[in-house]
Amino acid sequence: MTGKVFFSVTMSLDGFMAPEAVPIEDAFSPEGRNDPKVQRWMAKWSELQAWAFPQRFFRENLKLGEGGEEGLDNDIARATYERTGVSVMGKRMFDAGELAWPEEAPFHTPVFVVTHTRREPWERPGGTAFHFVNDGITSALDQAREVAGDRDVRIAGGAETIQQYLDSGLIDEFSISLAPVLFGTGIRLFDHVDPDHLALEQTRTDATSRVTHLTYTVGKR
């Protein structure tokens, strides 16, 4: 049985899934972190993701130490990880992660990176192996499905990659953790998506003191 194709992201109340982009090398270099633009980016990103940082599962998965909160937010974060057999991401997300992730990258599954850059697979401790796909999003998804088995394929990001999969009708379901923050500017989740092609049905709502988790199935109009 083939699993679902889904994405799960945190979004600001005014529709942004990330602050305005800053150069990756600046955001994750000692020198760049002194740049006020980078500091503002990090502050806004941290505010957006504040619901996840205290969760026990998040801390365990990123080796941040023992302990952490348990409850609905933690259960949802863990369930998202456990349903994922394979992840697909774009080149920009991978480039940032290569600089920021710990040696034991937090996926522990195969990851297919959509890119124009040719590169041999990159294996990390803990079961994560990155495979680089040079012939488009459909090819990346086909390869991901082959190894996912009956588990789901997660489109991990970034926004442009998610938008391409949505606009191509390749997403079955998605979840948004709606955070009570306002960005004003940044990277919108649904930019460049043709709304005339999509029909959404809300299937689940889970509210906590930190965020509201919204789940939708995706159909065609």
Side-chain angles (χ1 to χ4, degrees):
M1 181 178 179
T2 303
K4 294 179 179 179
V5 180
F6 81 104
F7 68 85
S8 178
V9 299
T10 302
M11 187 175 76
S12 71
L13 196 59
D14 52 349
F16 299 95
M17 64 173 287
E20 289 181 337
V22 296
I24 293 170
E25 58 274 12
D26 290 348
F28 298 105
S29 69
E31 300 80 9
R33 288 173 185 172
N34 294 323
D35 186 327
K37 291 182 180 179
V38 173
Q39 292 176 346
R40 176 170 172 76
W41 189 96
M42 294 297 295
K44 294 179 75 172
W45 176 256
S46 297
E47 187 179 13
L48 182 68
Q49 303 294 341
W51 74 272
F53 296 140
Q55 304 309 317
R56 183 183 185 93
F57 172 76
F58 185 88
R59 293 179 56 79
E60 289 175 349
N61 196 35
L62 285 178
K63 311 295 184 186
L64 298 178
E66 298 180 357
E69 295 181 5
E70 297 189 32
L72 183 55
D73 286 332
N74 188 67
D75 292 345
I76 288 173
R78 185 180 298 278
T80 300
Y81 169 82
E82 290 177 346
R83 69 182 285 192
T84 302
V86 181
S87 291
V88 177
M89 68 179 59
K91 176 70 159 50
R92 180 175 174 80
M93 181 177 179
F94 172 78
D95 287 346
E98 189 174 16
L99 295 173
W101 293 319
E103 183 180 12
E104 187 174 316
F107 300 95
H108 311 291
T109 67
V111 179
F112 289 86
V113 181
V114 181
T115 176
H116 297 296
T117 303
R118 295 190 178 277
R119 179 171 171 176
E120 292 299 311
W122 187 46
E123 296 190 8
R124 310 304 297 147
T128 301
F130 295 93
H131 303 272
F132 302 90
V133 181
N134 307 122
D135 52 351
I137 63 169
T138 302
S139 176
L141 181 56
D142 289 344
Q143 293 179 58
R145 280 175 162 151
E146 285 183 8
V147 298
D150 59 358
R151 296 175 73 190
D152 296 335
V153 176
R154 180 179 184 180
I155 310 302
E160 183 177 347
T161 301
I162 290 173
Q163 290 159 8
Q164 289 175 352
Y165 277 102
L166 261 179
D167 214 33
S168 298
L170 297 173
I171 299 291
D172 300 312
E173 178 181 295
F174 66 86
S175 296
I176 293 172
S177 297
L178 193 62
V181 299
L182 299 173
F183 275 9
T185 61
I187 299 173
R188 288 191 180 276
L189 175 58
F190 294 110
D191 270 357
H192 314 300
V193 174
D194 187 348
D196 291 337
H197 292 168
L198 303 177
L200 305 180
E201 179 182 354
Q202 186 167 316
T203 58
R204 182 170 174 176
T205 304
D206 297 289
T208 72
S209 61
R210 297 183 184 273
V211 289
T212 300
H213 303 280
L214 305 170
T215 301
Y216 301 87
T217 57
V218 184
K220 296 180 180 180
R221 289 189 183 276

